[in-house]
Amino acid sequence: MSKHKNPYPGENNTGHFWDDDSDIRELNNRPPRWYMWALYMGTISIIIYAFYYPSIPWFGNHNTGSANWTQISEMKESVQQLEDYRQTRFADQEKAIQEKSLEEIVLDEDLRDYAVKTAKVLFGDNCAACHGAGGQGNVGFPVLADDDWLYGGTLAQINATVTYGKKGNMPAKGMLGNLNDQEIETLADYVMDLSQGKGKDNVAGKALYTKGMCMACHGPNGKPPAPTAANLTDGIWRFRADDQRASVVRTIKHGVNKAGDPNTQDADMPAFGKSGVINAAQLKKLVVYVHQLGGGAKVIPPTPPEFLPVATNGSSFDAVLSAAEANYKKALSAKMAWRDTGAMIKEAKKLHKAGKGDAAIALAKKANTQAVNALAQAAVADFAGPRF
């Protein structure tokens, strides 16, 4: 700024000059009128806004405003609108899920796809924390994305597991608690060998397996006779760990869910069907989702009436031949008849007419067996099953 006197004393400038010739100077004029009106209106709008919408802290809580509006209430209204839309849009599917059995849902392709898609969020909210977002499992929790099932992979078994939950149980140091630390180490080696198909080479471990009464649950060769205990021969571990042998030692030594032992393995799944967290329809969706996710046991559709074979009413030639002809006719209608079945029926009639009763009955039975097998093939030619 120049230091000489203001050459324009009556100009209403600030006296600030930004060049030596005093050509660039700062004036002190009032703002434009439109600008001032905008400022006034803005100030008034702020006051109105502050009283209409929640804004000012008011005795420990914000002022709700005369509109009584909040973002939470708007969010709830939006969610309710979405729920109302879904109930209207998918009313038929939801009704079918409620009314149909699990088997019927899986066998209906459209309904199965709907159940799987809508259950993905349910699985994420209720199951993913333990079993992983894709069913890949976490440390201490089983994998659901494989076809290895601790408690069975049928729809009924999965439904029982999800509905009533499961609480694992295994005694510490063998069923009789009679294994010492060295024996536990040897037994752990045997279990590891079983998982690699080398169990028969470990004679000492096999003896301890018997001594510990492990076969009572896991079967004489590590394969349980029923889906109630872990299969020790498949290399799939219920309690996965970086040091798998150490985990096996811990399981044998401290058991599973053994009260009072801080080193015991924990295996507890909540009973979602009894928890009230999900309703009956959502439970069905979850069961179908897990069944499809893990390659559950195939669901065989019920045999349609047109594929049901006619039973033989007695052992006489006439009874057997009548059943064979009826079943052959059904197989022809299903376009699944075997070529020589009709020829065998004709030949059986000739043998019977020639007085060769036993040979005629035997051939009629063979023809009937072929016709029944053809119907069985027709019945399962296009059934739905788990998708992998």
Side-chain angles (χ1 to χ4, degrees), residues 258-279:
K258 188 176 184 300
D261 188 344
N263 293 317
T264 190
Q265 299 276 27
D266 295 322
D268 194 1
M269 176 177 168
F272 284 99
K274 303 297 180 181
S275 65
V277 175
I278 57 177
N279 58 38

Side-chain angles (χ1 to χ4, degrees), residues 129-188:
C130 296
H131 296 287
Q136 74 274 16
N138 285 316
V139 176
F141 298 97
V143 176
L144 300 182
D146 58 17
D147 58 357
D148 182 81
W149 299 93
L150 186 60
Y151 298 111
T154 67
L155 283 169
Q157 290 167 329
I158 296 173
N159 181 60
T161 301
V162 178
T163 302
Y164 302 105
K166 292 293 182 180
K167 189 174 181 67
N169 181 35
M170 176 175 165
K173 299 182 180 181
M175 185 171 288
L176 303 178
N178 59 348
L179 299 178
N180 58 42
D181 289 348
Q182 182 57 52
E183 290 175 329
I184 290 174
E185 295 284 342
T186 304
L187 180 57

Side-chain angles (χ1 to χ4, degrees), residues 118-308:
T118 53
K120 187 173 183 180
V121 174
L122 291 172
F123 186 87
D125 290 344
N126 299 282
C127 312
C130 296
H131 296 287
Q136 74 274 16
N138 285 316
V139 176
F141 298 97
V143 176
L144 300 182
D146 58 17
D147 58 357
D148 182 81
W149 299 93
L150 186 60
Y151 298 111
T154 67
L155 283 169
Q157 290 167 329
I158 296 173
N159 181 60
T161 301
V162 178
T163 302
Y164 302 105
K166 292 293 182 180
K167 189 174 181 67
N169 181 35
M170 176 175 165
K173 299 182 180 181
M175 185 171 288
L176 303 178
N178 59 348
L179 299 178
N180 58 42
D181 289 348
Q182 182 57 52
E183 290 175 329
I184 290 174
E185 295 284 342
T186 304
L187 180 57
D189 289 333
Y190 176 70
V191 172
M192 296 296 294
D193 289 342
L194 280 176
S195 69
Q196 301 169 13
K198 301 184 297 184
K200 62 181 180 179
D201 299 329
N202 192 333
V203 179
K206 175 69 174 180
L208 289 171
Y209 185 83
T210 303
K211 178 182 178 182
M213 294 295 292
C214 307
M215 64 181 64
C217 296
H218 297 285
N221 297 312
K223 290 184 178 180
T228 56
N231 184 350
L232 303 180
T233 67
D234 57 10
I236 299 176
W237 301 100
R238 168 61 181 83
F239 301 104
R240 291 181 300 162
D242 294 334
D243 187 345
Q244 194 58 57
R245 184 183 179 281
S247 178
V248 172
V249 170
R250 174 187 171 185
T251 304
I252 298 173
K253 187 173 183 179
H254 299 283
V256 177
N257 288 336
K258 188 176 184 300
D261 188 344
N263 293 317
T264 190
Q265 299 276 27
D266 295 322
D268 194 1
M269 176 177 168
F272 284 99
K274 303 297 180 181
S275 65
V277 175
I278 57 177
N279 58 38
Q282 292 172 327
L283 181 71
K284 284 186 177 180
K285 292 177 183 179
L286 266 180
V287 171
V288 172
Y289 183 86
V290 173
H291 179 265
Q292 299 297 298
L293 182 70
K298 287 185 178 180
V299 179
I300 306 299
T303 303
E306 61 269 23
F307 298 140
L308 289 174

Side-chain angles (χ1 to χ4, degrees), residues 286-354:
L286 266 180
V287 171
V288 172
Y289 183 86
V290 173
H291 179 265
Q292 299 297 298
L293 182 70
K298 287 185 178 180
V299 179
I300 306 299
T303 303
E306 61 269 23
F307 298 140
L308 289 174
V310 176
T312 304
N313 187 19
S315 58
S316 66
F317 173 77
D318 291 338
V320 176
L321 184 67
S322 177
E325 289 180 327
N327 290 325
Y328 178 58
K329 184 178 180 180
K330 281 192 168 188
L332 284 173
S333 299
K335 298 181 180 180
M336 195 65 75
W338 295 9
R339 292 181 178 180
D340 58 343
T341 305
M344 288 194 302
I345 291 175
K346 291 181 180 179
E347 183 64 24
K349 290 180 179 179
K350 291 180 180 179
L351 291 173
H352 180 69
K353 190 174 182 180

Side-chain angles (χ1 to χ4, degrees), residues 88-122:
T88 303
R89 172 67 176 80
F90 302 109
D92 293 339
Q93 291 91 330
E94 289 294 331
K95 182 179 180 181
I97 291 288
Q98 294 175 5
E99 295 178 349
K100 291 190 175 184
S101 66
L102 291 167
E103 289 75 14
E104 290 173 325
I105 294 172
V106 171
L107 293 172
D108 186 323
E109 183 176 358
D110 292 336
L111 199 56
R112 180 179 69 242
D113 289 345
Y114 172 78
V116 170
K117 289 176 181 178
T118 53
K120 187 173 183 180
V121 174
L122 291 172

